[in-house]
Amino acid sequence: MDVLRAMREATDFTPSEQQLAQTILALGARLQGQSIKELAGMASVSIASVHRFCKKLGLEGFKELKVECARAEASRASAHAPVDINFPFKADEDASTISTRMGALYETTITDTLDLLDLNEIETSAQLIAGASRVDIYAHSHNVHPAQMFEERLLSIGKPVNCPLTWEREIRCALGSDQTHVALVISYSGLSRNIRELLPVLHKRRAPVIFVGSPAVRRRNPGLAAYLFVSDREHLQNRITQFSSHIAVQFVLDTLFSCVFARNYDCNRAFLTETLPYTMLGSHHPSALSDR
């Protein structure tokens, strides 16, 4: 296992070690230009903490950490064929070539999104949703489908959730919000007129907002409860379709739901089990009985 993956998948890091890992992962190739003092400052830890972190990873010190990070970055780059996120295939290419290119698009998008996701923001979002009296999901265009899937998954564990699909329903939902609700806003760019009008209403109602979108959304909409960033390579207009942003949003929502589920795993699994007699197809399903 390479050192970057080891940092991503570690479960025994202290808070300081988690901060160091997140800082190193966020830096990527830029780590090579940093001194140990600069890295410690960026992560708000001591130089001694960096040394201990390297030892915990099985490395001799900071120099070896940089070497192993560079090796892992190079291995990742060589493992994935370059792909144009906006135009991943060309005219007259066959199914074999297109499927390979789409596979590369998926891998690139998810790798980028993993690099951008802040684990603390994921945990904050999961905590907010788990404790909310209701979750309201605001999404438009191609984001509606993953939003509805997320709605169904929250319903599957008994969480009250609402995903309004018209402007009238959205604004009424926002006006009916309060501090016990959580608003999950999904927008790649954050430029949607609906979003710009909804956010001030949600702020006035003191509803915490989790925003799923590209990193630019924090600059455009600062001060929200949490930001879950997705890969931002996709052009807003010059593209075949929203391949990458759809994949990234689905990946983030799947990760978020899994973190929500894991916070109360036994109770959520018990609820799923209790609903099975009512949801499975077969002789005990109400619709099957009504057809007899």
Side-chain angles (χ1 to χ4, degrees), residues 15-20 23 36-53:
S16 292
E17 290 167 345
Q18 290 175 8
Q19 186 63 31
L20 260 172
T23 302
I36 189 171
K37 183 177 180 180
E38 289 169 332
L39 174 62
M42 290 177 183
S44 300
V45 300
S46 67
I47 292 176
S49 294
V50 179
H51 284 301
R52 288 193 294 270
F53 181 71

Side-chain angles (χ1 to χ4, degrees), residues 94-205:
D94 61 18
S96 175
T97 303
I98 289 175
S99 62
T100 298
R101 292 186 186 277
M102 293 303 294
L105 185 149
Y106 269 64
E107 291 175 359
T108 299
T109 297
I110 291 176
T111 297
D112 283 351
T113 302
L114 275 171
D115 287 341
L116 289 168
L117 268 181
D118 186 320
L119 300 182
N120 290 327
E121 298 284 288
I122 283 278
E123 290 292 347
T124 296
S125 300
Q127 182 176 358
L128 285 169
I129 289 174
S133 64
R134 191 182 78 196
V135 178
D136 300 313
I137 308 172
Y138 301 94
H140 309 98
S141 185
H142 68 288
N143 290 319
V144 168
H145 182 248
Q148 289 180 313
M149 288 186 68
F150 191 72
E151 178 189 29
E152 286 295 322
R153 286 169 179 162
L154 289 183
L155 284 172
S156 76
I157 58 173
K159 172 60 65 175
V161 57
N162 182 38
C163 185
L165 297 182
T166 66
W167 168 246
E168 186 174 313
R169 286 178 177 270
E170 284 186 328
I171 195 62
R172 285 177 174 172
C173 186
L175 288 167
S177 298
D178 60 38
Q179 66 270 26
T180 70
H181 295 191
V182 167
L184 178 67
V185 177
I186 307 170
S187 175
Y188 178 73
S189 66
L191 295 172
S192 164
R193 178 181 174 182
N194 285 23
I195 298 301
R196 295 200 305 271
E197 293 187 11
L198 283 167
L199 288 177
V201 176
L202 293 167
H203 176 72
K204 187 175 182 179
R205 295 300 190 274

Side-chain angles (χ1 to χ4, degrees), residues 26-28 40 81 93 97 120 174 192-193 234 239 244 265 270 281 283:
L27 281 169
E93 288 187 329
T97 303
N120 290 327
S192 164
R193 178 181 174 182
E234 186 176 274
R239 65 194 175 195
S244 181
Y265 191 96
L281 295 176
S283 58

Side-chain angles (χ1 to χ4, degrees), residues 277 279-289 292:
T279 58
M280 69 181 188
L281 295 176
S283 58
H284 299 292
H285 192 272
S287 63
L289 293 173
R292 293 181 179 177

Side-chain angles (χ1 to χ4, degrees), residues 43-65:
S44 300
V45 300
S46 67
I47 292 176
S49 294
V50 179
H51 284 301
R52 288 193 294 270
F53 181 71
C54 294
K55 295 291 186 183
K56 190 165 188 173
L57 290 171
L59 307 173
E60 289 299 318
F62 182 61
K63 287 185 178 179
E64 188 177 0
L65 173 67

